[in-house]
Amino acid sequence: MQFDNFNSATFLRDHWQKKPLLIRNPWKKWHNPLSPDELAGLACEDAVESRLITQTSDDWNAEHGPLPETRFGELDKSPWTLLVQAVDQHVADVAALIEPFRFIPNWRIDDVMVSYASDAGGVGPHFDHYDVFLIQGLGQRRWQVGGMCNDQTPLRSHDDLLLLADFDVVDEWVLDPGDMLYIPPGIAHNGVAVGKDCMTYSIGFRSPSRKELIGNWCDNLLSEMTDDDRYRDADLAAQPNPGEISANAIDRLHTMVTEKLSNRDEFARWFGQFSSTPRYPETDWRPEEPIEIGHLREVLTAGNPLLRNPASRFSFIRESDDTLLLFVDGEYFSCRDEMIPLAERLCAQNQIAVDHDRKLSDAAVSLLTELYNRGSLSFDWG
Ligand code: SIN
Ligand code: CO
């Protein structure tokens, strides 16, 4: 899927993280990549995260998947919405929807959620902490947008859904297949299906909260610390009032904390691993049979490209002029020399092909073999 009529530079300058934007069918040729039946099938699978939202006159109820197949036959005439998370990990044509958005860094991209709604179905007025592109896949949906919300914004008391207590509509549009609406974090929005068979694809992004960053960075530091690294004051001098915690002691204690927390190189390495950890780390994508280096080289040089697992996360950090750290699915690989352009290609493209004349070094094939045996690369994803 490619854009025909969308200027990413103007979008980043004027809209990204700033204000909503309606983009009428920007695609070369829009086609809906998944059928409603296929989506319902995914919601019945154990490994897939899904929710079914049913509506009564003014309330919303959420059920969590996996849903029994019979559940869809039991739905009555009241509006309902099925939401399935990370469909890009299961359907290649849905994963392809992310490609035109690669002007945004890999580490900011989360998943493609797909929704199906019956006539008048929707999840209710709410806001999200993340940027989202809402692409209308099939049918029509009326989107309304409101003002900026935050954690103080009053919500309806509801166990599962963060529904807004008040929603003042600022703008509204009816989206047709291929139309796209960008909503920045915090902006109130409400999508309601107009007619039947309404499917919406949400390209969702992520951005760590300060709370999450500090918590996880500190947990990581704590896991490596020992009890013998302690406050010491061999230079202690008698002080007039034993009750005073001296400025000198505070400086020393504060430094014990800040010098650990502020190590930028260690932080960078940790953040690369943290942010490349898969969304569902418990899912085992490893191949049934590990591949041998020689065999991988043969298959690759015979012209078969290695494909990135759509569930895998690839990023890199330039550590110095001659080293780059490649992060894949929570692991890091230190790359030098000819490994640097290989790591860059792995992060920039979703496949790696090698032409017959190009010789891959042993180190390069060994890295590709390791990534293959970890389930981050394959010759064939479904
Ligand atoms: C939907 O697709 O129905 C909801 C998406 C959203 O509002 O974030
Ligand atoms: Co939303």
Side-chain angles (χ1 to χ4, degrees):
M1 205 69 81
Q2 276 181 312
F3 286 140
D4 183 34
N5 183 16
F6 178 74
N7 185 322
S8 54
T10 316
F11 166 76
L12 289 176
R13 188 191 64 205
D14 298 338
H15 295 275
W16 175 250
Q17 298 243 307
K18 299 169 203 73
K19 52 184 186 191
L21 177 66
L22 171 73
I23 308 141
R24 290 286 181 197
N25 208 332
W27 310 91
K28 275 215 164 81
K29 193 172 178 335
W30 172 257
H31 73 94
N32 180 43
L34 186 72
S35 72
D37 281 349
E38 287 169 310
L39 185 71
L42 282 171
C44 302
E45 285 183 25
D46 281 340
V48 178
E49 187 184 339
S50 62
R51 279 172 300 162
L52 178 67
I53 317 284
T54 43
Q55 254 167 278
T56 53
S57 54
D58 192 29
D59 202 9
W60 284 262
N61 175 58
E63 284 162 60
H64 290 265
L67 301 168
E69 274 173 47
T70 50
R71 185 67 188 93
F72 296 103
E74 292 158 8
L75 289 161
D76 58 25
K77 288 213 157 35
S78 45
W80 57 272
T81 298
L82 173 68
L83 302 164
V84 184
Q85 257 357 114
V87 177
D88 50 305
Q89 302 196 4
H90 307 283
V91 183
D93 285 350
V94 173
L97 281 182
I98 300 177
E99 293 317 302
F101 296 94
R102 294 283 178 200
F103 61 90
I104 297 163
N106 293 353
W107 73 269
R108 294 283 270 112
I109 295 176
D110 191 4
D111 73 333
V112 184
M113 180 185 83
V114 187
S115 71
Y116 174 91
S118 69
D119 189 16
V123 302
H126 66 280
F127 73 99
D128 301 299
H129 287 296
Y130 309 108
D131 309 81
V132 65
F133 285 96
L134 300 154
I135 305 167
Q136 191 60 24
L138 196 65
Q140 288 186 312
R141 188 186 282 275
R142 171 173 289 103
W143 280 105
Q144 300 177 312
V145 296
M148 183 61 84
C149 308
N150 58 33
D151 287 340
Q152 269 75 55
T153 303
L155 300 177
R156 287 179 185 227
S157 57
H158 203 292
D159 296 343
D160 246 331
L161 304 164
L162 294 170
L163 297 180
L164 297 172
D166 312 298
F167 178 54
D168 297 320
V169 179
V170 173
D171 231 329
E172 70 170 58
W173 307 273
V174 174
L175 272 67
D176 287 311
D179 290 347
M180 190 161 93
L181 178 64
Y182 164 73
I183 312 264
I187 293 283
H189 55 284
N190 186 30
V192 178
V194 179
K196 61 186 176 69
D197 278 348
C198 168
M199 282 181 86
T200 304
Y201 295 78
S202 305
I203 314 285
F205 295 84
R206 52 198 183 117
S207 55
S209 66
R210 194 191 298 254
K211 179 175 163 185
E212 180 191 5
L213 268 184
I214 295 181
N216 284 282
W217 170 225
C218 288
D219 282 347
N220 169 266
L221 292 173
L222 289 177
S223 68
E224 286 156 13
M225 283 183 200
T226 56
D227 285 338
D228 56 1
D229 178 12
R230 303 194 87 83
Y231 177 79
R232 301 185 74 91
D233 52 3
D235 55 349
L236 185 68
Q239 57 184 54
N241 186 333
E244 183 175 3
I245 306 171
S246 69
N248 183 284
I250 291 291
D251 285 346
R252 206 172 281 186
L253 290 160
H254 188 230
T255 306
M256 282 176 77
V257 174
T258 53
E259 73 184 6
K260 262 288 172 205
L261 257 63
S262 66
N263 185 326
R264 192 186 176 284
D265 289 347
E266 266 185 50
F267 175 81
R269 186 171 292 212
W270 165 79
F271 184 73
Q273 290 182 266
F274 172 70
S275 61
S276 68
T277 300
R279 184 181 168 110
Y280 303 108
E282 64 288 353
T283 308
D284 186 355
W285 292 100
R286 284 176 302 173
E288 271 169 33
E289 288 290 327
I291 201 165
E292 299 286 336
I293 296 189
H295 186 42
L296 183 123
R297 186 191 280 279
E298 264 168 42
V299 184
L300 200 56
T301 41
N304 301 293
L306 266 172
L307 312 176
R308 266 190 346 209
N309 179 349
S312 287
R313 290 178 161 164
F314 284 72
S315 305
F316 69 81
I317 288 176
R318 290 186 208 285
E319 205 177 37
S320 64
D321 284 349
D322 58 359
T323 20
L324 173 150
L325 293 176
L326 169 68
F327 300 96
V328 184
D329 295 334
E331 298 290 331
Y332 74 90
F333 304 87
S334 192
C335 302
R336 290 172 161 270
D337 306 324
E338 88 290 352
M339 301 292 282
I340 292 179
L342 174 69
E344 288 168 342
R345 278 167 68 209
L346 279 168
C347 291
Q349 308 166 0
N350 52 14
Q351 59 177 40
I352 285 284
V354 171
D355 55 53
H356 297 268
D357 325 321
R358 195 130 138 221
K359 181 128 175 53
L360 276 177
S361 72
D362 289 346
V365 185
S366 153
L367 173 67
L368 295 174
T369 306
E370 174 145 12
L371 294 177
Y372 179 98
N373 289 333
R374 286 175 181 274
S376 308
L377 294 175
S378 170
F379 288 111
D380 167 37
W381 291 110

